[in-house]
């Protein structure tokens, strides 16, 4: 499922929070907000945070979120994960995302940090790409692809306006997750990112 989200409010919110984050030694990226929105949505849609064993036909629902972050390295794509991301704030996630990316590129991550992921985010926007078809990180059941934020003309209440648009691409294992549920999951992420103060209330 593919959608574009008007993130004008998120851009403004991040700009206001950057100074507070910098005072704490934190680089506040959009990925931290996206990660927080995903974690909130996963709590509300637990099947997206599960894994499926096709040999035993068993579905394993996880009470924790180990959020995978696909990292481009000189040795190829590596997907470490942030353990127990459900317990982290936006600032905490920002710190973890940066550290995980740096440690992965420097090949300083442990095997444990690459195992037991429950859901993955891949950011092809960092390569200047808007949309893609993200490949699910087995045995996970879904993956979210994040594209490049770009300013585009949109029609709002009959008027043409300029908005910062964020492309999102969600792939799901259709054996377990229906397209309609995927749509609802993506719409919840859209709601959270277009109203970023909600990210601080969950």
């Amino acid at each position: 499922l593919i959608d574009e989200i008007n993130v004008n409010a998120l851009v403004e919110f991040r700009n206001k929070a950057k100074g507070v984050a910098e005072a704490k030694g934190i680089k506040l990226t959009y990925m931290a907000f996206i990660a927080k929105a995903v974690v909130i949505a996963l709590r509300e849609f637990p099947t997206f945070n599960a894994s499926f064993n096709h040999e035993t036909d068993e579905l394993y629902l996880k009470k924790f979120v180990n959020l995978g972050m696909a990292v481009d390295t000189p040795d190829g794509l590596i997907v470490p994960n942030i353990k127990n991301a459900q317990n982290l704030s936006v600032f905490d996630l920002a710190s973890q995302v940066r550290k995980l990316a740096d440690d992965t590129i420097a090949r300083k991550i442990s095997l444990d940090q690459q195992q037991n992921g429950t859901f993955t985010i891949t950011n092809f926007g960092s390569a200047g790409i808007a949309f893609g078809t993200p490949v699910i990180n087995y045995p996970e059941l879904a993956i979210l692809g994040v594209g490049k934020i770009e300013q585009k003309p949109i029609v709002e209440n009959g008027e043409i306006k300029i908005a910062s648009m964020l492309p999102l691409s969600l792939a799901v294992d259709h054996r377990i997750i229906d397209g309609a549920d995927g749509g609802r999951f993506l719409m919840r992420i859209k709601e959270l990112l277009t109203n970023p103060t909600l990210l601080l209330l969950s």
Side-chain angles (χ1 to χ4, degrees):
L1 303 96
I2 297 173
D3 201 359
E4 276 191 297
I5 299 174
N6 180 341
V7 289
N8 277 350
L10 179 60
V11 171
E12 183 179 352
F13 189 77
R14 173 179 173 263
N15 287 338
K16 289 179 179 178
K18 279 173 68 176
V20 178
E22 287 172 1
K24 296 177 180 289
I26 298 169
K27 184 179 180 181
L28 188 59
T29 64
Y30 291 111
M31 186 55 64
F33 293 100
I34 296 166
K36 185 63 176 179
V38 166
V39 168
I40 293 170
L42 289 174
R43 289 207 307 263
E44 298 171 8
F45 297 85
T47 306
F48 287 74
N49 194 53
S51 61
F52 179 62
N53 187 329
H54 65 268
E55 293 181 358
T56 60
D57 206 31
E58 291 178 320
L59 184 70
Y60 304 115
L61 296 173
K62 312 295 176 61
K63 293 183 179 180
F64 54 89
V65 178
N66 288 347
L67 189 62
M69 310 293 295
V71 179
D72 182 28
T73 78
D75 299 313
L77 198 66
I78 298 176
V79 187
N81 60 78
I82 299 170
K83 305 296 185 188
N84 294 305
Q86 76 279 0
N87 298 328
L88 303 180
S89 68
V90 172
F91 279 3
D92 292 334
L93 286 166
S95 295
Q96 289 288 323
V97 167
R98 182 71 266 157
K99 185 176 188 309
L100 206 60
D102 290 344
D103 287 352
T104 301
I105 292 170
R107 302 307 296 266
K108 293 181 180 179
I109 58 168
S110 64
L111 184 61
D112 176 66
Q113 289 175 289
Q114 300 175 62
Q115 295 177 331
N116 299 315
T118 60
F119 185 95
T120 296
I121 299 175
T122 180
N123 179 14
F124 32 72
S126 61
I129 304 299
F131 294 104
T133 305
V135 178
I136 298 168
N137 189 21
Y138 180 83
E140 297 168 20
L141 297 180
I143 183 171
L144 182 70
V146 177
K148 179 184 177 182
I149 295 177
E150 291 186 297
Q151 287 199 321
K152 294 182 178 182
I154 64 167
V155 178
E156 191 174 89
N157 299 321
E159 296 182 355
I160 297 176
K161 298 182 178 180
I162 300 298
S164 295
M165 302 298 293
L166 169 66
L168 296 177
S169 305
L170 176 71
V172 300
D173 187 332
H174 219 318
R175 296 172 299 176
I176 309 298
I177 300 173
D178 292 334
D181 287 331
R184 283 184 277 269
F185 180 82
L186 200 56
M187 287 300 292
R188 178 56 171 150
I189 292 174
K190 180 177 182 178
E191 179 184 26
L192 291 164
L193 293 178
T194 53
N195 300 278
T197 52
L198 295 176
L199 300 173
L200 306 180
L201 303 176
S202 301

